[in-house]
Amino acid sequence: ATTPVDTALADAVTGNVTSTHGTLIEQHAVTVAGSSAREARIKVIGGEYVFVVVFVGNRLYSLSVLGTDDAAARGSEATAFLNSFAVLP
């Protein structure tokens, strides 16, 4: 069953694809800080854009990395950045 959070996360992915004028390569559900999230990869002019969107409470957070190619956008520094998200009290 699709929940309102699932719908909002899907809309956030669609919005990122539209705003970057890119092509969605992949997306999948993930959990970030114990909350539902989506990670997606978009092919854009000049490179790739990888981002994570997550709802925590009633807030939507988005973290993104832009690289000149897949290796840069999915490299160790990019992955460390995307995995660094934490919710602090």
Side-chain angles (χ1 to χ4, degrees), residues 1 6 13 18 20-21 28 35 37-38 42-43 50 54 59-60 72-73 76-77:
D6 291 329
V13 170
T18 300
T20 60
H21 304 286
H28 56 274
S35 297
R38 294 291 179 280
I42 301 171
K43 180 72 176 163
V50 178
V54 58
R59 294 177 187 241
L60 175 69
S76 61
E77 289 180 356

Side-chain angles (χ1 to χ4, degrees), residues 10 12-14 16-18 20-28 38-44 49 51:
V13 170
T14 300
N16 272 308
V17 172
T18 300
T20 60
H21 304 286
T23 302
L24 183 64
I25 297 170
E26 67 175 328
Q27 71 169 311
H28 56 274
R38 294 291 179 280
E39 180 174 338
R41 187 164 54 120
I42 301 171
K43 180 72 176 163
V44 295
Y49 176 68
F51 65 96

